[in-house]
Amino acid sequence: MTATNTTTARKLTGNIGAEITGIDLRSSISEIDAADLRDCLAKHQVIFLPDQHLDLEQQKALTSVFGPALQLPYVTPMDAEPEIIRVYRGAEEKGGVFGGDWHSDFSFLEVPPSGSVLNAHTLPPYGGDTLWASQAAAWDALPDALQDLLLGRDAIHVGKPYGVKWAPPVKEQSGAGIKMSRGDPTADEEMKHPAVLQNPVTGRRMLYLNPTYVTRLDGLSEAESAPLLDQIQRHVTRPEFCIRHPWKPGTIAVWDNLATQHYAVNDYQGHERLMYRTTFSGLSPRDMAALPDKAPRVAAE
Ligand SMILES: [Fe+2]
């Protein structure tokens, strides 16, 4: 990050994540700070801004720094706040948590969110961490044979958790903190995205795969794809490419949804947790397709 006012970025791991301090997001965000935040996000893929305690208007203002706010299908937003999802889990809720497996948000859409913003409000006394994995660092370290297999190839994404084919019964949602509109057959339609993207700002390449929504690689059957996708996913989620974030109230996280996968840890049953999530749009994965050649790799920084 370039020096502006007292804003500083501190890397949190070797491959992903930085903490940004010295900026008050409750005040209006200057253009120079906005540009720095965007640069930091492109460079670190997920950024954490502690002690912000933003209200919803301030969160929307921050979100607009990165791109136009998105209204997403399937997940019911807040009343009168169509751009904000109240990510709430009550102390009495059992079973899975929202986002409790590795995924990129809504990757099955033609234009998925470019990024997401999560605002920590109420936290359990322990647990409830979120992990992110860098699909850029994972690409850099991927064996040549797998890079050759993926460059120029599409992957098939399907919104199966939101569609009719795999949707859980509505009764399983009773009492849930997050409501979803199920039974939308369009969520079961296949969407092709390039398996490898290239960030237009940094030039850096990244995988664009995740086990929640990707069903197969184009040109291969699900059975043929499964062992390859499993192997790649184990690689992406190696600890070296991940960051695990223990939340504090008032912390804001912003992540590049096309360069990362994330995972909400389900280990705080009996306690409530409340976050507010916004998402923003940008280029489509198709617009960011990496060219099918072996151009020199771009260093992380
Ligand atoms: Fe998510």
Side-chain angles (χ1 to χ4, degrees):
M1 173 175 263
T2 57
T4 62
N5 304 323
T6 56
T7 304
T8 57
R10 180 174 67 91
K11 279 179 66 126
L12 297 172
T13 78
N15 286 310
I16 180 171
E19 182 181 74
I20 312 297
T21 54
I23 183 170
D24 181 359
L25 300 173
R26 289 166 296 188
S27 308
S28 66
I29 301 168
S30 70
E31 256 315 303
I32 194 161
D33 279 345
D36 263 352
L37 288 171
R38 289 190 290 268
D39 286 347
C40 270
L41 182 62
K43 183 175 176 183
H44 300 290
Q45 303 149 68
V46 54
I47 54 177
F48 304 98
L49 298 115
D51 303 319
Q52 295 292 340
H53 300 279
L54 302 189
D55 64 26
L56 298 183
E57 290 304 314
Q58 292 160 342
Q59 180 173 351
K60 287 193 287 186
L62 171 64
T63 304
S64 70
V65 160
F66 299 96
L70 267 176
Q71 295 182 31
L72 292 168
Y74 311 120
V75 181
T76 306
M78 295 178 69
D79 291 341
E81 294 286 0
E83 299 162 355
I84 302 179
I85 293 172
R86 186 174 181 269
V87 181
Y88 178 72
R89 181 178 165 89
E92 72 289 348
E93 288 188 55
K94 294 181 171 61
V97 295
F98 187 65
D101 203 349
W102 285 107
H103 67 287
S104 298
D105 289 333
F106 287 81
S107 72
F108 55 91
L109 298 177
E110 184 174 6
V111 184
S114 285
S116 301
V117 178
L118 206 50
N119 178 0
H121 187 277
T122 304
L123 296 170
Y126 52 80
D129 297 353
T130 306
L131 285 83
W132 284 264
S134 169
Q135 300 223 74
W139 167 261
D140 289 344
L142 199 66
D144 282 350
L146 286 172
Q147 287 195 343
D148 292 342
L149 177 85
L150 295 174
L151 258 185
R153 187 182 295 269
D154 285 341
I156 312 300
H157 298 238
V158 180
K160 54 182 185 264
Y162 300 102
V164 293
K165 198 171 178 180
W166 294 271
V170 171
K171 64 182 171 56
E172 289 187 13
Q173 294 189 57
S174 63
I178 297 173
K179 296 287 190 291
M180 297 190 186
S181 57
R182 301 277 175 173
D184 187 328
T186 61
D188 283 334
E189 292 179 358
E190 295 188 334
M191 177 61 62
K192 285 186 183 181
H193 289 310
V196 188
L197 309 183
Q198 189 155 9
N199 184 305
V201 175
T202 64
R204 197 171 182 198
R205 289 182 174 177
M206 62 197 86
L207 294 166
Y208 189 54
L209 300 168
N210 71 83
T212 296
Y213 300 125
V214 172
T215 57
R216 69 180 194 280
L217 297 169
D218 198 23
L220 300 175
S221 68
E222 289 192 18
E224 291 163 340
S225 300
L228 292 165
L229 293 173
D230 286 349
Q231 181 184 354
I232 294 165
Q233 183 62 19
R234 283 198 301 275
H235 173 80
V236 168
T237 55
R238 280 169 53 185
E240 290 85 351
F241 307 142
C242 292
I243 184 167
R244 177 168 179 153
H245 180 68
W247 293 94
K248 291 180 180 174
T251 294
I252 300 288
V254 185
W255 65 93
D256 181 331
N257 190 50
L258 300 182
T260 61
Q261 296 181 31
H262 58 283
Y263 182 114
V265 178
N266 179 11
D267 65 349
Y268 56 94
Q269 190 171 314
H271 302 283
E272 66 175 357
R273 181 177 183 269
L274 172 60
M275 324 281 272
Y276 294 99
R277 195 189 77 178
T278 44
T279 51
F280 53 89
S281 63
L283 294 176
S284 72
R286 185 63 57 193
D287 289 334
M288 295 173 60
L291 296 173
D293 59 36
K294 298 286 283 185
R297 297 178 191 174
V298 176
E301 50 179 61

